[in-house]
């Protein structure tokens, strides 16, 4: 079974996806980390994130998840991909159609034959349009900026909250207006506003929805 969780930055996708995967006993696919890997590799090679060469890098690089580690061609980039510089570059490389196609191919390979929770911005619309359960998370921009600011502080990044908010607005604009797989909810996605909800409340809603669909699938299989 494939469960997708889409939404803008700071809406709680990663926390929800990790928690939901743990509750269900599914694997977790961090697609945002994959774009960060491409961005980090571009910066490491001195390639501008908006250069066409980013597509070639994305097509060639092999991304793996080893427990809590993220590997790029066997190199541990877990910490390197979480810097503010990589965050900004990732939003740029994500506009590249070749990058998105390469990442979508890798994401489908990672998910093949597995029960998986996949989070990102185009999982339910572009990568896994036939996923059995889709969610789209939203939250007020100010709350999303506070969440991302706290995350950056945990990684010892000195960034002003106002700067984070401005970067988030710019990221939203890019995601929603890009030509390939723009950020939008799938027609059949369950929408959840996480602004006033705790992570546990979000998880409770999502788990109940997924388990309900799993039960329905089992009943349908029994009838057939």
């Amino acid at each position: 079974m494939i469960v997708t969780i889409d939404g803008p930055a700071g809406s709680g996708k990663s926390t929800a996806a990790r928690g939901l995967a743990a509750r269900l006993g599914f694997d977790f696919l961090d697609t945002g980390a994959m774009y960060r890997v491409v961005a980090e590799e571009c910066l490491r090679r001195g390639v501008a994130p908006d250069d066409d060469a980013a597509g070639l890098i994305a097509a060639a690089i092999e991304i793996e998840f080893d427990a809590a580690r993220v590997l790029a061609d066997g190199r541990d980039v877990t910490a390197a991909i979480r810097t503010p510089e990589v965050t900004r570059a990732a939003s740029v490389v994500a506009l590249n159609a070749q990058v998105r196609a390469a990442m979508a191919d890798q994401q489908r390979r990672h998910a093949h034959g597995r029960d998986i929770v996949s989070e990102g911005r185009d999982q339910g619309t572009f990568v896994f349009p036939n996923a059995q359960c889709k969610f789209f998370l939203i939250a007020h921009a100010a709350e999303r900026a506070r969440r991302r600011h706290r995350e950056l502080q945990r990684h010892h990044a000195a960034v002003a909250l106002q700067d984070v908010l401005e970067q988030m607005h710019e990221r939203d604009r890019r995601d929603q207006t890009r030509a390939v797989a723009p950020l939008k909810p799938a027609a059949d996605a369950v929408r959840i506003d996480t602004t006033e909800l705790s992570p546990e409340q979000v998880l409770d809603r999502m788990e109940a929805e997924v388990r309900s669909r799993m039960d329905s699938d089992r009943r349908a299989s029994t009838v057939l």
Side-chain angles (χ1 to χ4, degrees):
M1 182 178 194
I2 294 176
V3 178
T4 63
I5 305 176
D6 291 315
S11 57
K13 301 186 303 297
S14 294
T15 299
R18 291 180 187 277
L20 185 62
R23 287 192 180 192
L24 297 172
F26 285 17
D27 293 323
F28 164 61
L29 180 57
D30 185 353
T31 66
M34 300 176 76
Y35 285 97
R36 288 172 177 271
V37 168
V38 176
E40 193 272 342
E41 186 68 11
C42 285
L43 295 177
R44 193 171 73 91
R45 296 190 188 186
V47 174
D50 59 353
D51 193 290
D52 288 344
L56 299 177
I57 290 173
I61 200 164
E62 184 65 31
I63 302 170
E64 298 176 277
F65 297 95
D66 178 19
R69 298 191 306 159
V70 182
L71 307 178
D73 290 334
R75 181 172 61 93
D76 189 342
V77 295
T78 310
I81 64 173
R82 296 298 172 182
T83 66
E85 293 78 14
V86 169
T87 296
R88 288 191 291 271
S91 69
V92 178
V93 299
L95 300 175
N96 185 307
Q98 288 180 294
V99 172
R100 299 204 74 82
M103 292 299 97
D105 284 345
Q106 286 210 40
Q107 289 155 20
R108 292 173 187 132
R109 290 201 298 272
H110 277 292
H112 182 69
R114 299 160 68 186
D115 289 323
I116 202 160
V117 177
S118 180
E119 65 91 8
R121 288 170 172 78
D122 61 355
Q123 298 301 288
T125 54
F126 178 63
V127 183
F128 302 112
N130 297 318
Q132 293 92 325
C133 192
K134 304 175 185 178
F135 295 98
F136 192 86
L137 304 188
I138 60 172
H140 296 164
E143 176 59 24
R144 292 191 287 123
R146 282 192 289 269
R147 293 172 183 174
R148 180 53 56 85
H149 188 246
R150 288 194 295 267
E151 178 185 351
L152 291 170
Q153 287 181 318
R154 286 196 296 271
H155 288 88
H156 309 291
V159 183
L161 176 59
Q162 184 59 35
D163 291 340
V164 175
L165 180 58
E166 291 174 2
Q167 291 169 11
M168 191 158 287
H169 281 312
E170 176 60 20
R171 180 65 189 270
D172 289 347
R173 185 193 65 78
R174 287 176 177 171
D175 287 340
Q176 293 165 1
T177 60
R178 65 178 177 236
V180 180
L183 171 66
K184 62 179 181 180
D188 54 346
V190 176
R191 305 188 193 196
I192 301 176
D193 187 335
T194 68
T195 305
E196 302 293 338
L197 298 178
S198 70
E200 287 302 309
Q201 289 173 318
V202 174
L203 281 174
D204 288 344
R205 290 191 184 185
M206 298 175 82
E207 182 183 8
E209 181 68 31
V210 175
R211 292 196 182 281
S212 174
R213 297 193 185 201
M214 292 170 69
D215 288 343
S216 295
D217 288 346
R218 279 194 290 268
R219 287 195 295 270
S221 297
T222 300
V223 171
L224 294 175

